Amino acid sequence: MLNVLVSGGGIAGSALAHWLRRYGFAPTVVERAAAPRLGGQAVDVPGVALDVLDRMDLLGPPAPCARGCAACPCWTPKATRSTAAPSTPPAAGGSTATTSS
């Protein structure tokens, strides 16, 4: 198995690591942020991108939209995080990210 280093744990780096692992590589993702983000933003995933998420097996069943807009379909994620988000912001210069075993 070939080891691959992926720099950046955002959408692109995470997707790349997913596909590398699926095709037999051993990716390691490095991220400069000290911890996962505590919040997020609603993301519009149009047509083809929705198909990609489905092929990655990351879509759960459709769910009511938390933003209250009846026109936009919403899905629950199937994926789980590989790190535990801290319940409080990290101290200055400290990291609170923990990896799951």
Side-chain angles (χ1 to χ4, degrees):
M1 190 176 290
L2 184 62
N3 295 319
V4 178
L5 180 64
V6 177
S7 178
I11 293 172
S14 298
L16 176 60
H18 171 88
W19 289 111
L20 286 169
R21 181 167 306 281
R22 185 172 279 189
Y23 284 96
F25 294 88
T28 299
V29 178
V30 293
E31 172 58 52
R32 69 179 175 179
R37 293 168 94 190
L38 296 177
Q41 183 67 25
V43 177
D44 179 25
V45 183
V48 174
L50 193 59
D51 294 339
V52 171
L53 289 176
D54 190 38
R55 284 190 303 234
M56 292 173 78
D57 197 29
L58 294 177
L59 291 180
C65 185
R67 299 183 58 138
C69 54
C72 61
C74 295
W75 281 266
T76 56
K78 282 175 120 178
T80 58
R81 289 181 182 232
S82 60
T83 57
S87 58
T88 59
S95 173
T96 59
T98 57
T99 57
S100 61
S101 49

